[in-house]
Amino acid sequence: MADDDPVPGDVTAALPGPRLARGMLFAVLGSFLLIVPLNVAESAPRTGGAVAPVLSGLASLVVFALLLVHCSPRARRLSVRARTAALVAQAVLTYAPLVCFGARWGGMGGFLAASLLLALPPRLGWSLLAAVSVSVAASSALAGQSLLVIAYMGQSTALVGVVVYGVTRLGEAVTALSASRAEAARLAVSEERLRFARDLHDLLSSSLSAITLKAELAHRLTRSHADRAEAEAQAVAELSRRALADVREVAATYRDLSLADECEAARSILAAAGIESGVALGLDPATIGRRVQTTLAIVLREGVTNVVRHSRARRCDIALTMDGDRVRLQIANDGAAADLVPGPVDGSGLLNLGHRLASVGGVLRTEIAADGRFVLTAAAPS
Ligand SMILES: Nc1ncnc2c1ncn2[C@@H]1O[C@H](COP(=O)(O)OP(=O)(O)O)[C@@H](O)[C@H]1O
Ligand SMILES: [Mg+2]
């Protein structure tokens, strides 16, 4: 696939964060709703008095608050009773003011339709959206408006209902997606812990149980059968030596990481987080010395975890190259915070990497490249 080709997960990384999505929803609803009292105010000079604009403004504010009951995730944790009360109050505030504000208040119907769609089961919600649209059109007909205006009122009510419903649901999708990204990073860590626990259990549980049994037996035989007790004690010593060797082996497999395996893990973690990845290996990772390879694998692991945790990346490029007699691992991602000062200032991850690299004669560098990408470079003697 060419670099510029869109990939299915690509879209997710471009989405706004949950906070921005909520802010946009708030702004869209507020400005959408403002249109109705402005319409009422616009007709006020003809109908007379400044009371109507003020009253309609206040009523709109209440409708806004009631609408938020159904749009905001927190308010939606309210009891069914409270939410039903909010729906009824909104219905009253949609229809009753028609008497004094006239057909210009009809625009409120769309927001009632949206609340119904958000709060009720889909079939009932969509039916009531149709009913509200028809009722708004009917109120327009009763006000003696032209057929065109009647049709417009019905259609715009349905449209506002669907748009508000859609924007709210999309905002929820953004929040859910952001949570699943964080979950992907958390899962990667807990999977590794599980593997460690499993290996420890498989390796040690049988030898430690055998040691316990034999030690108990030796203890019981000490007086009556000294020769057998001695044999059991020797067996215990042998078992514990083996267990110790097993522990060393398991620790060694965790100390010696494979950079090739880590590249594969990086690819799948990035894919799970909806981040397009490119891995370019300019040399076979297996040819790198054991200590440096393990250090670079740890750099890659932390670097990729950071991409998922700290950036809003769409793409992450990983490159392994030779630079003279040094091997260089570079991780570059877009989507870094605009005001980011790169470096190990507010976290311990990068600081640890720096220490690890120094212990094998290497260096770690983090920078914001000219194209705005966050670039982490680790170089060490191969
Ligand atoms: N790939 C990245 N993209 C954007 N910002 C990053 C990236 N990696 C690190 N950072 C920034 O550098 C800071 C320090 O990272 P790190 O030392 O790993 O901290 P932590 O232990 O919190 O992960 C992060 O809090 C983040 O602001
Ligand atoms: Mg980190």
Side-chain angles (χ1 to χ4, degrees):
M1 193 180 291
D3 273 3
D4 301 340
D5 283 355
V7 292
D10 201 9
V11 169
T12 62
L15 287 172
R19 236 202 238 159
L20 180 59
R22 269 198 298 277
M24 276 159 59
L25 173 68
F26 204 75
V28 166
L29 290 185
S31 42
F32 229 5
L33 245 158
L34 195 62
I35 296 172
V36 181
L38 285 179
N39 265 336
V40 172
E42 197 262 335
S43 69
R46 274 173 275 138
T47 53
V51 184
V54 175
L55 276 182
S56 70
L58 287 175
S60 303
L61 275 179
V62 180
V63 170
F64 186 52
L66 292 170
L67 185 58
L68 285 185
V69 169
H70 306 289
C71 292
S72 111
R74 229 178 265 166
R76 285 170 69 199
R77 278 187 226 129
L78 290 172
S79 67
V80 175
R81 209 156 159 208
R83 288 164 62 189
T84 310
L87 274 182
V88 171
Q90 196 180 343
V92 170
L93 276 175
T94 302
Y95 290 109
L98 282 170
V99 180
C100 37
F101 302 145
R104 289 186 178 240
W105 189 253
M108 279 298 171
F111 301 102
L112 175 62
S115 292
L116 291 165
L117 262 184
L118 287 164
L120 300 172
R123 191 176 286 186
L124 184 59
W126 287 105
S127 311
L128 288 175
L129 174 131
V132 172
S133 304
V134 169
S135 70
V136 170
S139 77
S140 208
L142 282 176
Q145 297 194 305
S146 72
L147 207 61
L148 222 61
V149 175
I150 294 169
Y152 164 78
M153 290 304 290
Q155 187 266 351
S156 64
T157 299
L159 176 72
V160 169
V162 171
V163 168
V164 172
Y165 172 74
V167 171
T168 306
R169 287 285 188 248
L170 286 177
E172 287 168 4
V174 165
T175 307
L177 204 74
S178 158
S180 77
R181 275 183 143 206
E183 184 68 6
R186 205 186 57 76
L187 273 181
V189 174
S190 70
E191 227 171 71
E192 184 57 23
R193 281 198 192 130
L194 268 181
R195 188 165 76 95
F196 188 75
R198 231 180 4 243
D199 283 3
L200 264 189
H201 174 268
D202 293 353
L203 267 174
L204 290 181
S205 62
S206 69
S207 41
L208 286 179
S209 327
I211 287 172
T212 313
L213 278 177
K214 285 191 176 292
E216 278 169 8
L217 186 60
H219 177 67
R220 266 190 269 124
L221 294 171
T222 320
R223 293 221 176 100
S224 53
H225 300 86
D227 49 340
R228 276 186 60 199
E230 195 190 331
E232 293 299 341
Q234 266 171 9
V236 167
E238 177 53 28
L239 273 169
S240 73
R241 259 194 299 277
R242 267 212 338 252
L244 191 61
D246 286 345
V247 170
R248 287 210 173 110
E249 195 185 308
V250 88
T253 60
Y254 281 92
R255 273 204 309 266
D256 293 346
L257 299 177
S258 147
L259 186 52
D261 287 353
E262 215 51 54
C263 284
E264 271 318 299
R267 241 193 263 265
S268 83
I269 289 172
L270 289 169
I275 300 170
E276 187 185 352
S277 67
V279 180
L281 300 180
L283 67 146
D284 180 0
T287 60
I288 303 171
R290 201 171 49 82
R291 277 187 75 201
V292 171
Q293 192 182 154
T294 297
T295 307
L296 292 181
I298 293 169
V299 169
L300 184 54
R301 191 178 285 184
E302 170 70 13
V304 166
T305 306
N306 276 352
V307 173
V308 176
R309 279 183 58 204
H310 299 306
S311 80
R312 305 178 35 69
R314 292 167 62 107
R315 185 177 169 92
C316 174
D317 285 296
I318 296 163
L320 185 70
T321 47
M322 278 311 286
D323 184 8
D325 61 347
R326 309 199 113 207
V327 58
R328 198 167 64 180
L329 173 71
Q330 195 161 70
I331 307 166
N333 62 278
D334 55 5
D339 55 351
L340 179 70
V341 179
V345 275
D346 52 355
S348 61
L350 292 175
L351 211 65
N352 283 343
L353 292 187
H355 294 321
R356 274 181 193 278
L357 273 160
S359 72
V360 294
V363 286
L364 179 84
R365 208 175 62 224
T366 47
E367 64 196 321
I368 298 289
D371 58 6
R373 293 199 301 170
F374 184 94
V375 183
L376 180 153
T377 311
S382 65

